[in-house]
Amino acid sequence: MSDFEAVVAGVRERVDPTPEERRALAATAGRLADRARAAIADLPVEADVLQVGSTARGTWVAGDRDIDLFVRFPADLPREDLEAHGLTVGAAVLPDGHEEYAEHPYVKGEFEGYDVDLVPCYRLDAATDIQSAVDRTPFHNDYLLGRLDDDLAGDVRLFKQFLKGIGVYGSDLRTQGFSGYLAELLVVEYGGFRATLEAARDWHPTVVLDPEDHQAADFDDPLVVVDPTDPERNVAAVVSETNIAVLQHHAREFLDNPSEDAFEPDDPEPLDEDDVQSHLDRRGTTPLAVVFDAPDLVDDQLYPQLYRSRDGLARGLREYGFEVVRTATWADDRAVLFAELSVAELPAVERHEGPPVHVADHARGFYEKYADDEDVYGPFVDDGRYVVERERDIRTAREFADEHLHEVALGAHVASLVDAGDYDVLVGESVTGLAGAFGTELAAYFDPSA
Amino acid sequence: MSDFEAVVAGVRERVDPTPEERRALAATAGRLADRARAAIADLPVEADVLQVGSTARGTWVAGDRDIDLFVRFPADLPREDLEAHGLTVGAAVLPDGHEEYAEHPYVKGEFEGYDVDLVPCYRLDAATDIQSAVDRTPFHNDYLLGRLDDDLAGDVRLFKQFLKGIGVYGSDLRTQGFSGYLAELLVVEYGGFRATLEAARDWHPTVVLDPEDHQAADFDDPLVVVDPTDPERNVAAVVSETNIAVLQHHAREFLDNPSEDAFEPDDPEPLDEDDVQSHLDRRGTTPLAVVFDAPDLVDDQLYPQLYRSRDGLARGLREYGFEVVRTATWADDRAVLFAELSVAELPAVERHEGPPVHVADHARGFYEKYADDEDVYGPFVDDGRYVVERERDIRTAREFADEHLHEVALGAHVASLVDAGDYDVLVGESVTGLAGAFGTELAAYFDPSA
C-alpha cells in the first residue's frame, strides 16, 4: 500500500460514518419526514417532503449531525402562503424549534440529538425557474444523487475533511472557501479524491469546469464551476484567490508527501502579551490596531464589512505614505482592524511629482500652484518633470487613525462607528493588550502558514 | 515698447560688446594671425590661419575674452607632423603659453589680455572627412558665418546669456547643457531670440531639428539637432532631459512675464551648519553622505563618475528598502555622494513575494527554499502568491554605506576608493559639517528651483 493509500485509509476510518450512525440517522430522518407529512395533511394545499444535504446523500463526515428537510409546495402558491404553511409544518415537526430567516423564513430546531432545518420551497420543473436560492437545493440533490456511488461518496467525505484541515471549507463570507456542494461537484467531475487533488495541483486560474456543458455565461472569477442545474450560476463564485492557492499548495504537498496532518485544522496555542511583545521586538515593526464593538450582525454580513474596512485601512495608510507589512481583522465582542507598519514616523516632507514640463497646461498649473508656496521645497525640475517636496498631512499611524480613518472605504456599520468616533486606536506596544481576547488569532498571525 | 522688448533692450546693453571692445578684439586677433602666418612661413609645409569661435562670429557676450585661432594643415600631413608643427607655431605665437591636450595637443596662452587657444587641424573638403573633433570647427564656423547677420548675432548673445542665467549653458559633462554652437544653431534655425524661446516653450521631446535636411541617422536623445556639417552627429546629444525641461520652463515663464532676472545666474548665500541643521529639522529626514578625496580628474571625467556613483547609491538604497527623497553629488578637494532618506531605520523584517502558487516549478522551489527556515515568517499564501517575511540584511543607511556600497554601480575611480575603504560615512546631524566646504551647494540643495 502506498503512503497515499495508507494515509487515506487512516482518515477514512475517522470520516466514514459507522453503520450504526447511518442507521440511526436514517431512522431519525424517516421519523421527521413522517411528522412533516402528517402536518402537511392538515394544510389546504398539496406538498411533499424531501431530505436533502450531505446526510441525504451519504456524503457527511462522521459526527456531523445535520438533517435538512425541504417541504415542496406548488409553484403557483403565493409566497406569503408558502411562508405561513412552511412555518406551520416547521412548528409541528420541531415543537422546540425557532424561526430563522434566509431569503424566507424557515424553522431550525433539535430532534433526537440532531440539528434539523425544516425549509419550505417551491416544486419547480427547472432550477432556472427558482424564486429563491432554496428552491435550487432539490435540483442539486437530484443531480448528485444520480452520480454519487458509495466510492465517490467516500471520496467526497475525504475531500471535505481535507478542505476542513487546510482551513478552506465553507462558502460563508468569512471563510470564502469551498461549499459542500462544490466539494461534491469537484469529486464527481474529476472522479475521486486523488484525481481532484491532482487536478487542483495543476490548476492555472482562471479554471473553468462546466459539467453539463452549458457554456452560457462569462464569469469573472478565478475558479468557475458552472452549476449543472443553473447555467447562470458559478458554484465557486465565493472562493477567494487565496483559498484556491491554498488548496493547490496543499494538494501539491500532500501528493508529494502524504500526511494525516493535512486533514487536521491548525489549532494554535493562544499568545499572551509577552509572546506578542517578543514578536514585535523581533520584527521591529509598528503595529496599529483600530478597535471597536463588533457590529451586531450575522457573520455573513459582519465579515465582508470587516474585510472591506481592513483593506480600506491598508489602502489609506499606503496613500498617506506608510509601508504596510501585513493586515488582519478579527472579531469577537470587540472587532479589530490590524495593520503592521514598517515605521512609526514618516519624514515631514514628501516628494510630490508633477507633470512633465512639456505638458504645457498641466505643467503650468502645477508650477503656479506651488511657485509662491513658502511651505514647499521647489518646484524644481527632475528628469523633465516638475517636483515639489511638500509637508505631509500626517507623520504617524496614530494621526491617520485618529483623523483620516473616515476617508477610507469602510463597511457601512464600521463607517458609522468611525464617524461617531466610537473606536480606540492602539499603536506600538499597547497592541499586546489584544492578546486577552485574540490570543489565538495573534498566534495564527505571527505563525502564518500556507 | 512691450515688457519683453524693454527687458531685452536692457539685457542687450550688458551683453552687446561696445564698438571699442569689438575694435580692440579684432586688432588683437589680427596681430595673432600675423604672428601665426610668420611662424608658418618657417615651416616645411603649407598652412593657413583661421579665426573661429564666437569672437570670430560676433556672437560673444560682452566681456568674454577668448580668441580661437586654428592653423590648418594639408590633409595628407602625418599626424605626428601636424602635432609638431602645431606646437611650433603655438610656441612662436604665444611664448608664455603652455601645451594642453584634447584629441591632440594645442597651445593655450594669454596675449594682450585675451585667452588664446592656438589649435592645429586638417584642411578638409567636408566635415564628414574629419580625423578629430577639432577638424569640424572650421566647418561650423563657415556654416554660421554664412547665416548670421548682425541682428541674429545679437540674438545669439541674448540667448547665450539666458542659458547662462538659468544654469544650462555649457556642453561640459558636469553641466550637460547647451553649447555655444548649439545656441547659435537654434537661434539661426528659429530666426531669433524670441522665436527660439517660443519654440522651446512648445517643444514636445523628442524634438528633432535637421537644418540641412540630412535625415541620416536616428538618435536616441530627447533633443536632436543634426549637425548641418555632419549628418551623423547630434549637436544636442549631451543635453540632459532635465536641462531641456529647465529651458522650457524658463522660456514659458519669461514669455509670460519677462524679467531681467532670467539672465542672472542664481548665486545663493552659503549655508552654515546651523542652517543645514534647521533644514534637516524641518524636513525630518535622515541624510547620508559618503565623502572621499575627489579623484584627480578633469571635470569631464570626474562628474560623469560622480553622477553614476550618485545614481548607483540611490538605486542601491532603494533595493535595500530605503525610500530616497533626493540625491546630490558635489566635489571640491573632497567629493560627496549625498542621499536624503525618509527614515533612519527599517524594520527587521521585509515582505518578500514569491511566485503565484499555480506556477508549479517556480512556486515549489520558493516554498521549499523557505519551508524549513526558522528565520522567516511563512511561507503563507496571499492573493494567490507565496509570501515570506524575512530578515532584512540591513536596517540603517550607515550599514548600507559601510557594508554594501561596493555592490552598486560606481564610477571607476570612485569604485577603487570604495573598494579600498577610503571613504567616510556621515549620517544624520553629522552631515552639517559639510557646510564648511559645500555651503553653497547645500544652499542650492535646500532651496531647489526650476
Side-chain angles (χ1 to χ4, degrees):
Chain A
M1 191 155 68
S2 72
D3 283 357
F4 182 93
E5 285 160 358
V7 167
V8 160
V11 176
R12 285 192 200 280
E13 285 183 20
R14 292 192 291 117
V15 301
D16 289 345
T18 60
E20 297 83 65
E21 184 176 345
R22 290 171 184 274
R23 271 194 299 273
L25 192 141
T28 299
R31 282 189 285 276
L32 282 163
D34 290 343
R35 290 168 67 91
R37 278 187 286 268
I40 289 166
D42 295 335
L43 295 178
V45 294
E46 299 278 308
D48 70 351
V49 178
L50 184 71
Q51 190 193 349
V52 299
S54 61
T55 45
R57 300 194 287 269
T59 56
W60 81 96
V61 171
D64 284 356
R65 299 182 68 80
D66 295 309
I67 297 177
D68 299 316
L69 281 190
F70 275 47
V71 179
R72 287 193 296 187
F73 293 97
D76 57 359
L77 186 69
R79 185 167 174 128
E80 57 267 35
D81 292 345
L82 173 132
E83 294 186 2
H85 295 327
L87 293 176
T88 303
V89 175
V93 174
L94 301 165
D96 300 328
H98 62 278
E99 201 174 313
E100 295 224 351
Y101 199 91
E103 283 188 69
H104 54 226
Y106 66 99
V107 174
K108 201 176 186 73
E110 220 184 275
F111 185 82
E112 297 179 359
Y114 292 87
D115 295 319
V116 181
D117 283 357
L118 199 141
V119 182
C121 71
Y122 286 109
R123 171 191 277 278
L124 303 168
D125 292 329
T128 46
D129 298 335
I130 62 161
Q131 300 186 34
S132 84
V134 294
D135 297 337
R136 202 184 278 121
T137 303
F139 293 94
H140 291 171
N141 206 53
D142 277 359
Y143 181 85
L144 289 172
L145 277 178
R147 284 161 181 81
L148 284 164
D149 57 20
D150 281 356
D151 284 349
L152 283 177
D155 277 15
V156 166
R157 291 191 292 269
L158 276 177
F159 186 50
K160 282 185 181 176
Q161 187 61 36
F162 189 82
L163 294 171
K164 288 179 185 182
I166 65 175
V168 300
Y169 184 68
S171 60
D172 60 278
L173 299 183
R174 177 180 183 178
T175 309
Q176 300 179 354
F178 295 76
S179 68
Y181 177 54
L182 175 56
E184 293 179 76
L185 283 180
L186 289 173
V187 170
V188 166
E189 185 64 12
Y190 289 122
F193 173 62
R194 180 171 194 141
T196 301
L197 292 194
E198 287 169 346
R201 177 188 60 189
D202 299 333
W203 278 348
H204 252 260
T206 300
V207 175
V208 180
L209 278 85
D210 190 358
E212 293 299 295
D213 260 333
H214 292 309
Q215 301 184 345
D218 271 338
F219 299 96
D220 187 25
D221 300 308
L223 176 61
V224 176
V225 180
V226 182
D227 193 336
T229 74
D230 183 349
E232 301 292 328
R233 182 171 177 261
N234 173 17
V235 181
V238 82
V239 185
S240 70
E241 195 179 0
T242 292
N243 282 339
I244 294 166
V246 166
L247 173 58
Q248 289 204 271
H249 164 74
H250 285 285
R252 191 180 294 151
E253 288 295 302
F254 185 78
L255 290 167
D256 282 356
N257 193 13
S259 154
E260 285 205 31
D261 292 348
F263 295 88
E264 284 305 317
D266 286 339
D267 189 14
E269 282 293 299
L271 300 190
D272 65 18
E273 297 197 9
D274 288 345
D275 298 330
V276 173
Q277 185 62 54
S278 70
H279 275 293
L280 295 177
D281 290 345
R282 176 178 159 198
R283 293 166 69 83
T285 50
T286 299
L288 164 74
V290 175
V291 187
F292 46 89
D293 287 337
D296 186 19
L297 300 169
V298 298
D299 281 3
D300 266 2
Q301 294 183 291
L302 176 63
Y303 279 90
Q305 291 201 24
L306 292 179
Y307 294 155
R308 180 176 162 81
S309 302
R310 172 200 64 193
D311 295 343
L313 173 64
R315 210 164 34 242
L317 286 165
R318 290 192 176 110
E319 271 165 23
Y320 278 87
F322 293 93
E323 188 182 308
V324 180
V325 178
R326 193 137 50 97
T327 59
T329 182
W330 311 307
D332 191 356
D333 296 336
R334 300 274 277 171
V336 181
L337 308 176
F338 190 82
E340 203 183 355
L341 307 175
S342 274
V343 297
E345 191 177 37
L346 297 173
V349 293
E350 66 179 346
R351 183 183 169 94
H352 176 51
E353 292 201 349
V357 173
H358 66 76
V359 182
D361 289 348
H362 243 79
R364 193 191 298 261
F366 183 91
Y367 182 79
E368 283 168 5
K369 178 172 175 188
Y370 291 108
D372 298 319
D373 186 342
E374 303 246 316
D375 291 332
V376 306
Y377 287 82
F380 57 94
V381 177
D382 193 9
D383 274 348
R385 292 179 173 271
Y386 284 123
V387 176
V388 292
E389 290 157 359
R390 61 181 182 189
E391 267 187 87
R392 286 184 187 279
D393 290 335
I394 54 164
R395 298 182 61 184
T396 65
R398 178 177 293 281
E399 286 173 272
F400 177 82
D402 284 345
E403 296 165 26
H404 296 275
L405 191 57
H406 65 276
E407 296 168 14
V408 307
L410 302 166
H413 289 73
V414 179
S416 307
L417 292 167
V418 166
D419 285 342
D422 289 340
Y423 64 103
D424 299 316
V425 177
L426 308 177
V427 177
E429 298 194 2
S430 58
V431 305
T432 57
L434 295 172
F438 299 103
T440 308
E441 287 81 355
L442 284 160
Y445 181 87
F446 285 120
D447 186 16
S449 58
Chain B
M1 191 155 64
S2 74
D3 284 357
F4 183 92
E5 286 161 355
V7 167
V8 160
V11 176
R12 283 192 199 279
E13 286 183 21
R14 292 192 291 116
V15 300
D16 288 345
T18 60
E20 297 83 64
E21 184 176 346
R22 290 173 185 273
R23 270 195 299 272
L25 191 142
T28 298
R31 280 188 287 277
L32 282 163
D34 290 344
R35 290 168 69 93
R37 276 186 288 268
I40 290 166
D42 294 336
L43 296 177
V45 295
E46 299 278 308
D48 70 351
V49 179
L50 184 72
Q51 191 194 348
V52 299
S54 62
T55 46
R57 300 193 289 267
T59 55
W60 81 95
V61 171
D64 284 356
R65 299 182 69 78
D66 295 310
I67 296 176
D68 298 317
L69 280 191
F70 273 47
V71 178
R72 287 193 293 188
F73 292 96
D76 58 0
L77 186 69
R79 188 169 171 127
E80 56 268 36
D81 293 343
L82 175 132
E83 294 185 2
H85 297 327
L87 293 175
T88 301
V89 175
V93 173
L94 301 165
D96 301 330
H98 64 277
E99 203 174 311
E100 296 223 347
Y101 198 92
E103 283 187 69
H104 53 224
Y106 65 100
V107 175
K108 203 178 182 74
E110 220 184 276
F111 186 82
E112 298 179 359
Y114 292 87
D115 296 318
V116 181
D117 283 359
L118 199 142
V119 181
C121 71
Y122 286 108
R123 171 190 277 280
L124 303 167
D125 292 329
T128 45
D129 298 333
I130 62 162
Q131 301 186 33
S132 85
V134 293
D135 297 336
R136 203 185 277 121
T137 303
F139 293 95
H140 292 170
N141 206 53
D142 277 359
Y143 181 84
L144 289 172
L145 277 178
R147 285 161 182 79
L148 284 164
D149 58 18
D150 282 354
D151 284 349
L152 283 177
D155 277 15
V156 167
R157 292 190 293 268
L158 277 176
F159 186 49
K160 282 184 180 177
Q161 186 60 37
F162 189 82
L163 294 171
K164 289 179 185 183
I166 66 175
V168 300
Y169 184 68
S171 60
D172 59 279
L173 299 183
R174 176 180 185 179
T175 309
Q176 299 179 353
F178 296 75
S179 66
Y181 177 54
L182 175 56
E184 292 180 77
L185 283 180
L186 290 173
V187 170
V188 165
E189 185 64 12
Y190 288 123
F193 172 64
R194 181 171 195 142
T196 301
L197 293 194
E198 287 169 347
R201 178 188 58 192
D202 298 335
W203 279 346
H204 252 261
T206 300
V207 174
V208 179
L209 278 86
D210 190 358
E212 293 298 297
D213 262 334
H214 292 308
Q215 301 185 343
D218 272 337
F219 299 97
D220 188 26
D221 301 307
L223 175 61
V224 176
V225 180
V226 181
D227 192 336
T229 73
D230 184 349
E232 301 292 327
R233 181 169 176 262
N234 174 18
V235 180
V238 80
V239 185
S240 71
E241 195 179 2
T242 292
N243 282 340
I244 294 167
V246 166
L247 173 60
Q248 289 204 272
H249 164 74
H250 285 284
R252 192 181 291 151
E253 287 295 301
F254 185 78
L255 291 167
D256 282 358
N257 193 13
S259 154
E260 287 205 30
D261 292 348
F263 295 88
E264 285 304 316
D266 285 340
D267 188 14
E269 282 292 299
L271 300 190
D272 64 18
E273 297 197 9
D274 288 346
D275 297 329
V276 174
Q277 185 62 55
S278 71
H279 276 293
L280 294 177
D281 290 344
R282 176 179 159 196
R283 293 166 70 81
T285 50
T286 299
L288 164 73
V290 175
V291 187
F292 46 90
D293 286 336
D296 186 20
L297 298 169
V298 297
D299 281 3
D300 266 4
Q301 293 184 292
L302 175 63
Y303 279 89
Q305 291 202 22
L306 292 178
Y307 294 156
R308 181 175 161 83
S309 301
R310 172 199 63 195
D311 294 344
L313 173 65
R315 211 163 34 241
L317 286 164
R318 291 193 177 108
E319 271 164 24
Y320 277 88
F322 293 94
E323 188 182 308
V324 179
V325 178
R326 190 136 54 93
T327 59
T329 182
W330 310 306
D332 193 356
D333 296 336
R334 300 273 278 170
V336 181
L337 307 176
F338 190 82
E340 205 183 352
L341 307 174
S342 274
V343 297
E345 192 179 36
L346 297 173
V349 293
E350 65 178 347
R351 182 182 169 93
H352 177 51
E353 294 201 348
V357 173
H358 65 76
V359 182
D361 289 347
H362 243 81
R364 192 191 298 258
F366 184 91
Y367 182 79
E368 284 168 4
K369 177 173 177 187
Y370 291 108
D372 298 319
D373 185 342
E374 302 247 315
D375 292 332
V376 306
Y377 287 84
F380 56 94
V381 176
D382 192 10
D383 274 349
R385 291 178 173 273
Y386 284 124
V387 177
V388 293
E389 290 156 359
R390 61 182 181 188
E391 266 188 89
R392 285 184 189 278
D393 290 334
I394 55 164
R395 298 182 61 184
T396 65
R398 178 178 294 282
E399 286 173 273
F400 177 82
D402 284 344
E403 296 164 27
H404 296 274
L405 191 57
H406 65 276
E407 297 169 11
V408 306
L410 301 167
H413 289 74
V414 179
S416 306
L417 291 166
V418 166
D419 285 342
D422 289 338
Y423 64 104
D424 298 316
V425 177
L426 308 176
V427 176
E429 298 195 0
S430 59
V431 305
T432 57
L434 295 172
F438 299 103
T440 308
E441 287 80 356
L442 284 159
Y445 182 87
F446 286 121
D447 187 15
S449 59

